[in-house]
Amino acid sequence: MSKEIWAKAVPFDKKFVTLALESGVDAILADDADVEKIQALGRVRVVPLSGVAVTAVASKADEEEAVRLVQKGETVFLARGCEIIPVENILAQGTGVGMEAASLAEAKLAAGILERGVDRILVLPEAAADLKQIVAELKISQGTIGLSPAVVTEITPVGLGHRVCVDTISMLRTGQGMLVGNSSAFTFLVHAETESNPYVAARPFRINAGAVHAYAAMPGDKTRYLEELAAGDEVLIVSATGETSLAVVGRVKVEVRPMLLVAARIGDAEGKLFLQNAETIRLVRADGSPVSVVALRVGDEILCRTDVAGRHFGMRIAEDIKEG
């Protein structure tokens, strides 16, 4: 799961604040007297220093006090230099714990304690050079998803249907796309339109993702119907190596187009997906290269993900369910 990334602009430094704004931090912690000054520089949450507790943990009494504050619902950051064991004890007794970090290494360590890590990272001015990478690795990155080669078993034209283009506000790279499928238990890696051809220029911000009814894997281990997506939503971007990140939807285009039914199999599991019948729509081969649905053949291998079926309003549930 991604972490909240805060920047500590104490003392005030305009260059550091500007860097924090450009990096996309969730909040800036500032001296009370500097709050309005920072708010004038950009639309961002600015938290006065008086509204949080920055707690050094050098003794058992300090640990107990931190737990008390966390359990009261206060915003608590553990000061830099805490030993790992006390931090683990605090995390085991409450949520919403934050921790200071003065480097990328310290931020990654805080994010991994007890496997789940702290919920917030407070980046100190000493880590200015690492700030953008901290945001990229701990906020934008969503970890790694396991993908497997699936054998294509069917490619059939099925007539007209409403398909969804998801236009993001990010420039995607070769190998990246979205996981989409008829079932949340079997999704296909649908490639972004990063490749050009003699007739159409590349549109690397776009994933022509499939029919309106299809499930799309979303951040936070959730799914959404493609038809539900709207400008401002965050979607899960997945690479051919399984690395995941976030992108924001800029626009969704739903139009009637000729469609194809693509089916594939991994072992005993079979999945299906409806995609627009056009050369620019691509899936991803087992070697990570994009392949147009026009060039796809039965017997080819493409990257897919298998999971356990069972979702209610996009959230995972334990239920006996079959989706075809």
Side-chain angles (χ1 to χ4, degrees):
M1 293 293 292
S2 62
K3 307 296 180 183
E4 282 193 12
I5 309 297
W6 292 30
K8 188 176 184 179
V10 180
F12 175 79
D13 180 285
K14 186 175 180 180
K15 288 184 178 179
F16 181 67
V17 170
T18 301
L19 174 65
L21 292 169
E22 291 176 348
S23 299
V25 298
D26 295 287
I28 296 176
L29 185 63
D31 281 323
D32 294 42
D34 295 326
V35 169
E36 291 187 6
K37 188 188 306 182
I38 294 173
Q39 288 175 332
L41 296 175
R43 190 178 292 273
V44 66
R45 181 185 177 197
V46 185
V47 180
L49 192 57
S50 61
V52 306
V54 179
T55 304
V57 181
S59 67
K60 190 64 178 180
D62 293 336
E63 178 188 314
E64 292 170 350
E65 175 63 9
V67 170
R68 186 186 69 81
L69 293 172
V70 168
Q71 292 181 343
K72 280 180 60 181
E74 295 195 22
T75 301
V76 177
F77 286 99
L78 306 180
R80 184 184 178 218
C82 295
E83 296 291 333
I84 297 301
I85 296 301
V87 178
E88 291 179 345
N89 294 339
I90 295 166
L91 287 175
Q93 298 178 72
T95 58
V97 182
M99 196 168 177
E100 289 185 333
S103 67
L104 173 62
E106 290 184 8
K108 291 171 74 172
L109 177 63
I113 296 172
L114 280 185
E115 296 188 353
R116 68 180 177 88
V118 299
D119 297 294
R120 302 184 187 96
I121 306 292
L122 180 59
V123 181
L124 303 180
E126 301 96 290
D130 290 340
L131 182 54
K132 288 191 175 182
Q133 193 171 355
I134 289 171
V135 173
E137 293 198 21
L138 302 185
K139 180 175 173 61
I140 299 174
S141 173
Q142 299 290 290
T144 302
I145 283 178
L147 303 176
S148 301
V151 177
V152 176
T153 58
E154 180 183 357
I155 309 164
T156 305
V158 293
L160 298 176
H162 286 86
R163 67 94 174 100
V164 180
C165 275
V166 181
D167 289 352
T168 71
I169 62 172
S170 299
M171 297 294 280
L172 306 179
R173 304 186 306 274
T174 298
Q176 290 185 313
M178 291 174 61
L179 287 171
V180 185
N182 258 21
S183 167
S184 61
F186 197 118
T187 49
F188 297 68
L189 183 54
V190 181
H191 200 276
E193 293 192 11
T194 60
E195 314 304 302
S196 58
N197 66 42
Y199 310 105
V200 180
R203 294 180 174 85
F205 53 84
R206 172 174 294 171
I207 302 109
N208 192 324
V212 285
H213 73 284
Y215 290 108
M218 301 296 288
D221 193 31
K222 297 180 180 178
T223 60
R224 296 273 298 276
Y225 293 120
L226 286 177
E227 189 273 336
E228 294 177 337
L229 297 179
D233 287 344
E234 284 187 331
V235 293
L236 189 70
I237 301 300
V238 183
S239 75
T241 58
E243 296 174 349
T244 65
S245 59
L246 298 177
V248 175
V249 177
R251 170 181 58 196
V252 173
K253 293 178 63 180
V254 180
E255 297 166 311
V256 175
R257 292 291 187 269
M259 305 293 284
L260 287 172
L261 170 62
V262 179
R265 180 174 292 278
I266 299 174
D268 294 331
E270 184 182 50
K272 297 179 180 180
L273 174 66
F274 291 88
L275 292 167
Q276 182 180 341
N277 186 358
E279 194 275 338
T280 54
I281 287 64
R282 292 175 168 84
L283 296 168
V284 181
R285 292 193 188 277
D287 64 3
S289 61
V291 54
S292 169
V293 293
V294 174
L296 195 66
R297 298 291 182 265
V298 169
D300 287 351
E301 288 191 334
I302 55 175
L303 290 178
C304 295
R305 182 197 186 202
T306 54
D307 197 1
V308 177
R311 301 279 173 158
H312 183 65
F313 292 107
M315 294 178 288
R316 185 185 297 275
I317 58 171
E319 182 178 11
D320 185 13
I321 185 171
K322 181 179 180 180
E323 298 169 315

